[in-house]
Amino acid sequence: MPYELQALIGPVELITVAAAEVPAARIAPLGQGLALLPATPVFLAALQLGGEEGAHGGEGGFEWFPGGFERRLAAWSKAGPIACVEADYFGGTGTQRAAVWADGRLDLGPLTSAESEPFPPEGSPISRVLRRIGARVEGGHLDEFDAVGLPAHRSTSGWAAAG
């Protein structure tokens, strides 16, 4: 069964402020005081139409970033850490990329895991950035990914529908 995700994750208050700037944004609650803003095609198009110009991709290495998106992440991160995550899995094999912006700059990452590459002892890229923004393993969960509830939906569009 596939799992694909492109999203921003941060404290509920920060994600709420970020979403208010982009009319197409949908917010989905996570555990531990965090929220997820799915990077749907509609959300990304709204960012592009909002005056941001330039090619996709950037310092975070995320191909789906609209031009200039790092400037927005940097601005939002002045109010608190914000993680950018992506995952693409099918049949247990896939990739992850994750990064954290804090204090107006890229703070951690991008961390990546290639297809069929085992995670290092410190965990998957997504779990590591979740840990950096305050998530903790508790209540018998396997890792931070599980602890905040990311297995609840298997796609970016599923998270958008939940928001």
Side-chain angles (χ1 to χ4, degrees), residues 59-60 62 65 70 73-74 77 80-82 84 99-102 105-107:
E59 73 179 285
F62 297 87
F65 275 18
E70 290 90 353
L73 287 169
S77 77
I82 189 166
C84 187
V100 174
W101 275 258
R105 63 178 176 78
L106 182 62
D107 184 60

Side-chain angles (χ1 to χ4, degrees), residues 43-45 47-48 52-58 62-70:
F43 171 78
L44 295 172
L47 284 172
Q48 195 71 20
E52 301 290 342
E53 297 178 10
H56 290 342
F62 297 87
E63 294 299 317
W64 51 271
F65 275 18
F69 191 49
E70 290 90 353

Side-chain angles (χ1 to χ4, degrees), residues 110-137:
L111 306 172
T112 62
S113 67
E115 196 167 314
S116 301
E117 177 183 16
F119 295 141
E122 57 271 15
S124 73
I126 293 176
S127 285
R128 291 170 62 193
V129 301
L130 289 171
R131 190 176 317 127
R132 180 67 146 257
I133 65 172
R136 299 290 174 250
V137 177

Side-chain angles (χ1 to χ4, degrees), residues 3-104:
Y3 184 96
E4 65 85 17
L5 178 64
Q6 296 175 333
L8 303 178
I9 299 174
V12 172
E13 302 80 17
L14 176 60
I15 294 296
T16 301
V17 168
E21 292 183 21
V22 185
R26 299 282 183 262
I27 300 172
L30 294 173
Q32 301 187 19
L34 300 175
L36 180 146
L37 197 160
T40 64
V42 173
F43 171 78
L44 295 172
L47 284 172
Q48 195 71 20
L49 292 173
E52 301 290 342
E53 297 178 10
H56 290 342
E59 73 179 285
F62 297 87
E63 294 299 317
W64 51 271
F65 275 18
F69 191 49
E70 290 90 353
R71 288 189 304 274
R72 249 189 224 209
L73 287 169
W76 290 334
S77 77
K78 290 177 182 177
I82 189 166
C84 187
V85 302
E86 65 182 31
D88 188 12
Y89 282 85
F90 186 82
T93 302
T95 61
Q96 284 188 21
R97 181 179 309 272
V100 174
W101 275 258
D103 300 319

